[in-house]
Amino acid sequence: MEVDEPVLLPRLARVAVCGGTHGNELSGVYLVRELLKEAQEKERDDEGPLSVQTLLSNPRATQQCRRYIDADLNRCFSLATLNGPVSEAAPYEIILARELNASLGPKGSQEAVDLVCDLHNTTANMGLCFIAYSDKDWICLHIFKHLQRQMPDIPMRFIHFNISKKESYSLDSVGKHGFALEIGPQPHGVVRSNVYTAMKVGVRHILDWIHYFNSGSVFEGGYVDVFTMVKNIDYPRDSQTHNITAAIHPRLQDRDFCLLCPEDPLFQTFSGEELTYKGNEPLYPFFINECAYYEKGIALSLARKKRVMIPPIRAQTEVEKQASEQSFASEEEE
Amino acid sequence: MEVDEPVLLPRLARVAVCGGTHGNELSGVYLVRELLKEAQEKERDDEGPLSVQTLLSNPRATQQCRRYIDADLNRCFSLATLNGPVSEAAPYEIILARELNASLGPKGSQEAVDLVCDLHNTTANMGLCFIAYSDKDWICLHIFKHLQRQMPDIPMRFIHFNISKKESYSLDSVGKHGFALEIGPQPHGVVRSNVYTAMKVGVRHILDWIHYFNSGSVFEGGYVDVFTMVKNIDYPRDSQTHNITAAIHPRLQDRDFCLLCPEDPLFQTFSGEELTYKGNEPLYPFFINECAYYEKGIALSLARKKRVMIPPIRAQTEVEKQASEQSFASEEEE
């Protein structure tokens, strides 16, 4: 049997774990505080080459237990927003995004941290999700595969937003690799012990995987299911007041990632009428009835599922890294 | 067999159904909007002696999908707050409470509406609860008994806050009779169709009961379980930052109204430690992990359960009413 040679990838020397990018998503807020306390107590000087930075991304929103103060921080990291003109009266989160980009990025540069894991909660029944911009980032996909194996009792999916690096807008896009770790259901402004614990265990497995990777372990290839975002659907609304006139249908509520077929129940109006899904194609719903998306006009998102083959990978040794840099430099000289 | 004579009580001529007292508790917001729309469409002129007023109590907070703007409206209806001095710079909700008291009250007067039903949601797994200030208000207890019989699939409880009429602080205390109709679990800022529908069906049964009562039906007496509020318990907190250091224990979460015994698990700290209930007496927990109570320092409330015997009741006829008024007047003259 032929065994594929592992793809060689640079070590992950600097990692950031962020919580409180949305100040009312409390699992990440309390987990980051706990990790900071643990780090203080342990003074992990003996941990070697991996530097893990833990931070509360939006301290003012966290203080007030609100999603954001002036603007959704997790929409402020496109290159256009990061590099556009900014006045002194700019929204708090625009200033904050530039500060975070300066400390974790700059986005797209060699100085950027190797991996950003940004912790989020949703009111939707989504289990644990990785949300990323690429379905070809072997690091993110391998970490996901590792978590699936380590936490078999937690429903787990990989969601892919098909958006270019330049246009990607969330905090995790600042790193060379990055993803949002989204866990639900949990009401915003509430911390549920089971959701907090799943996030804590997930982060521990992520950091373990990075240690194994940096230590030279070879990770086998394999298949991963990826849900690629297709479109959003808004609630039915009153044409004059713009108020919503229906809720998610009780038979769809909490059924994130179950196939939604044409003519399946979608909404139930407040007067009791059933409205069905009018699309042509069966798709997978997610972020069903997410609290923060009422204002964005999103009742649910729909995805297409596909299977992605990921190759075996291994971290470059120091010698391989130097050789690769030399080859890169000589290519540039040509 | 001896049959008790029904207690005669005045008819309920004016009733108010309120939603949006907390602007992010959406079942009541959308139900009130729906009831207003229905009322417009029907122009219920033929309904006879019952006047049902439907209103959004805190329109500005509802507009912003927040619990309140400056102060919790549902804490503004004690006589001291309603009648205290007020400046032009007073919090929005203090002004609003006086306006609501003028239109639905004045609290404690003969002009007050006969019944206020105020619609609320909680993130706690409380099913449908009546929350009232008296365990001897036969109208509220009979309505509760009626709903329990009509909606056998919905877990339903009667909660009693042992507070005097004068000190009672919530909107429903403005009516001659009143209660909050509290339904959960539902995240704030979200509407779930099943929770909305339970509230809608509940309100319909309440209005039906009032029609039967006003039409002269006799309602049999019987027993009702009442949960009397004993005390609140706060989250464990860091002595310096005042941040919480634990969440509700996973074995207690969602188990509202199950008996909590001394040494039962109560909290799980963010580092994973179990903390137990240190009280001396087994009590019934409710409002377990309610979102809005983090800022009030309440992780859960505890109640004592008792059984209350309620007598049969019937509405006074017009002749009985006049006789009772004359007897009252002649007593006053003595």
Side-chain angles (χ1 to χ4, degrees):
Chain A
M1 202 179 103
E2 199 181 325
V3 176
D4 283 350
E5 275 299 300
V7 174
L8 301 189
L9 295 169
R11 279 210 172 91
L12 304 168
R14 288 170 60 223
V15 169
V17 177
C18 310
T21 300
H22 294 136
N24 58 0
E25 299 182 10
L26 296 192
S27 301
V29 168
Y30 290 115
L31 181 53
V32 159
R33 286 186 179 147
E34 186 61 26
L35 295 172
L36 287 168
K37 211 172 72 181
E38 280 179 18
Q40 273 182 343
E41 285 165 7
K42 287 189 193 165
E43 293 193 5
R44 306 186 176 200
D45 293 339
D46 54 348
E47 291 233 340
L50 176 60
S51 135
V52 179
Q53 191 177 345
T54 314
L55 63 120
L56 275 182
S57 331
N58 193 335
R60 213 186 282 179
T62 300
Q63 178 65 28
Q64 295 184 32
C65 196
R66 289 165 58 180
R67 184 174 175 88
Y68 56 79
I69 302 296
D70 297 325
D72 189 337
L73 177 62
N74 216 35
R75 300 295 179 276
C76 293
F77 293 92
S78 71
L79 286 183
T81 306
L82 286 174
N83 301 326
V86 66
S87 73
E88 290 219 352
Y92 169 65
E93 277 85 1
I94 296 283
I95 310 293
L96 194 55
R98 283 160 199 248
E99 291 171 8
L100 288 162
N101 188 48
S103 84
L104 301 177
K107 174 171 173 168
S109 75
Q110 270 306 309
E111 291 70 46
V113 296
D114 293 306
L115 177 74
V116 175
C117 170
D118 195 31
L119 307 173
H120 288 263
N121 289 124
T122 170
T123 61
N125 185 27
M126 281 170 58
L128 187 156
C129 292
F130 280 51
I131 305 182
Y133 293 105
S134 169
D135 55 357
K136 290 177 196 67
D137 184 322
W138 309 143
I139 292 289
C140 294
L141 286 160
H142 266 281
I143 294 176
F144 172 71
K145 194 161 162 279
H146 177 72
L147 250 69
Q148 270 194 318
R149 194 177 309 156
Q150 298 296 323
M151 303 170 74
D153 297 337
I154 305 279
M156 207 177 295
R157 284 92 176 190
F158 192 102
I159 300 172
H160 161 229
F161 280 73
N162 199 6
I163 292 172
S164 71
K165 179 86 179 173
K166 185 179 144 195
E167 286 171 304
S168 58
Y169 46 71
S170 54
L171 173 57
D172 49 272
S173 72
V174 169
K176 293 199 191 77
H177 308 272
F179 54 88
L181 194 70
E182 180 81 66
I183 312 193
Q186 181 174 271
H188 297 325
V190 160
V191 56
R192 290 174 63 95
S193 203
N194 61 332
V195 173
Y196 169 86
T197 303
M199 184 179 270
K200 188 176 178 180
V201 172
V203 168
R204 196 169 297 154
H205 286 306
I206 291 167
L207 296 179
D208 284 350
W209 185 91
I210 296 168
H211 277 290
Y212 303 147
F213 176 76
N214 285 346
S215 312
S217 302
V218 177
F219 295 92
E220 286 174 23
Y223 287 97
V224 167
D225 282 335
V226 169
F227 291 88
T228 303
M229 164 73 168
V230 175
K231 63 177 171 182
N232 297 318
I233 294 185
D234 192 9
Y235 294 94
R237 289 179 191 270
D238 184 281
S239 57
Q240 292 188 340
T241 63
H242 208 61
N243 290 329
I244 70 172
T245 56
I248 292 291
H249 196 282
R251 269 189 281 160
L252 180 60
Q253 176 69 50
D254 298 334
R255 299 194 64 235
D256 301 68
F257 300 103
C258 291
L259 197 62
L260 181 72
C261 293
E263 300 307 327
D264 280 351
L266 185 56
F267 296 109
Q268 186 163 279
T269 70
F270 294 130
S271 56
E273 212 185 327
E274 175 176 303
L275 305 178
T276 60
Y277 171 49
K278 293 299 175 200
N280 299 316
E281 178 190 6
L283 289 169
Y284 294 87
F286 64 103
F287 276 129
I288 297 176
N289 206 359
E290 157 55 34
C291 177
Y293 292 173
Y294 279 69
E295 68 172 26
K296 296 187 200 289
I298 301 172
L300 70 163
S301 302
L302 291 169
R304 212 168 275 132
K305 183 159 85 167
K306 67 175 174 186
R307 187 147 283 192
V308 173
M309 219 293 286
I310 60 174
I313 63 171
R314 167 168 78 70
Q316 289 172 334
T317 62
E318 201 50 44
V319 173
E320 285 162 346
K321 185 184 165 206
Q322 282 168 11
S324 133
E325 279 167 0
Q326 276 168 9
S327 127
F328 181 71
S330 63
E331 270 174 29
E332 277 204 328
E333 279 165 15
E334 275 170 17
Chain B
M1 201 178 105
E2 200 182 322
V3 176
D4 283 349
E5 275 298 299
V7 174
L8 301 189
L9 295 169
R11 277 208 174 91
L12 304 168
R14 289 170 59 222
V15 168
V17 177
C18 310
T21 300
H22 294 136
N24 57 0
E25 300 182 10
L26 296 191
S27 300
V29 168
Y30 289 115
L31 181 52
V32 159
R33 285 185 179 147
E34 185 61 25
L35 294 173
L36 288 168
K37 211 172 71 181
E38 279 179 17
Q40 274 183 342
E41 285 165 8
K42 287 190 193 163
E43 293 194 2
R44 306 185 176 200
D45 292 341
D46 55 347
E47 290 233 340
L50 177 61
S51 136
V52 179
Q53 192 178 345
T54 315
L55 62 119
L56 275 183
S57 332
N58 194 336
R60 214 186 282 177
T62 300
Q63 178 65 28
Q64 294 184 33
C65 197
R66 289 165 58 180
R67 183 173 175 90
Y68 56 79
I69 302 297
D70 297 325
D72 189 336
L73 177 61
N74 216 34
R75 300 295 179 275
C76 294
F77 293 92
S78 69
L79 285 183
T81 307
L82 286 174
N83 300 327
V86 66
S87 73
E88 290 220 351
Y92 169 66
E93 277 84 2
I94 296 284
I95 310 291
L96 193 54
R98 283 160 198 249
E99 291 170 8
L100 288 163
N101 188 48
S103 84
L104 301 178
K107 173 171 172 167
S109 74
Q110 270 306 310
E111 291 70 47
V113 296
D114 294 306
L115 177 75
V116 175
C117 170
D118 195 31
L119 308 173
H120 288 263
N121 289 125
T122 171
T123 61
N125 184 26
M126 281 170 58
L128 188 156
C129 292
F130 279 51
I131 305 182
Y133 293 104
S134 169
D135 54 357
K136 292 177 195 67
D137 184 321
W138 309 142
I139 293 290
C140 293
L141 286 160
H142 265 282
I143 294 175
F144 171 71
K145 194 160 163 278
H146 177 73
L147 250 69
Q148 271 194 319
R149 195 177 307 156
Q150 297 297 321
M151 302 170 74
D153 298 337
I154 305 279
M156 207 176 294
R157 283 92 175 190
F158 193 101
I159 299 172
H160 161 229
F161 280 72
N162 199 6
I163 292 172
S164 71
K165 179 85 180 175
K166 185 178 145 197
E167 286 169 305
S168 59
Y169 45 71
S170 56
L171 174 57
D172 51 271
S173 72
V174 170
K176 292 199 192 76
H177 308 272
F179 54 87
L181 195 70
E182 180 80 67
I183 313 194
Q186 180 174 272
H188 297 325
V190 160
V191 57
R192 290 175 64 96
S193 203
N194 61 333
V195 174
Y196 170 85
T197 302
M199 184 179 269
K200 189 176 178 181
V201 172
V203 168
R204 196 169 295 153
H205 286 306
I206 290 167
L207 297 178
D208 284 350
W209 186 91
I210 296 169
H211 277 290
Y212 303 146
F213 176 75
N214 286 346
S215 313
S217 301
V218 176
F219 295 92
E220 286 172 25
Y223 288 97
V224 168
D225 281 335
V226 169
F227 291 88
T228 302
M229 163 73 167
V230 174
K231 63 176 172 185
N232 297 317
I233 293 185
D234 192 9
Y235 294 94
R237 289 178 191 270
D238 184 282
S239 56
Q240 292 188 338
T241 62
H242 207 61
N243 289 330
I244 70 172
T245 54
I248 292 290
H249 196 282
R251 270 189 281 160
L252 179 60
Q253 176 69 50
D254 297 334
R255 300 195 63 233
D256 300 68
F257 299 104
C258 291
L259 197 61
L260 182 71
C261 293
E263 300 307 326
D264 279 352
L266 185 57
F267 296 109
Q268 187 165 277
T269 70
F270 294 131
S271 57
E273 212 186 325
E274 176 176 302
L275 305 179
T276 60
Y277 170 49
K278 293 298 175 200
N280 299 317
E281 180 191 7
L283 290 169
Y284 294 87
F286 64 102
F287 277 128
I288 297 175
N289 206 359
E290 156 57 33
C291 177
Y293 292 172
Y294 280 68
E295 68 173 24
K296 296 185 201 289
I298 301 173
L300 71 161
S301 303
L302 290 170
R304 213 168 275 133
K305 184 159 84 166
K306 67 174 174 186
R307 187 148 281 191
V308 172
M309 218 295 286
I310 60 173
I313 63 169
R314 166 169 78 68
Q316 289 173 332
T317 63
E318 201 49 44
V319 173
E320 286 162 346
K321 185 184 165 207
Q322 282 168 11
S324 133
E325 279 166 1
Q326 277 169 6
S327 129
F328 180 71
S330 61
E331 271 173 31
E332 278 205 327
E333 280 165 16
E334 278 170 13

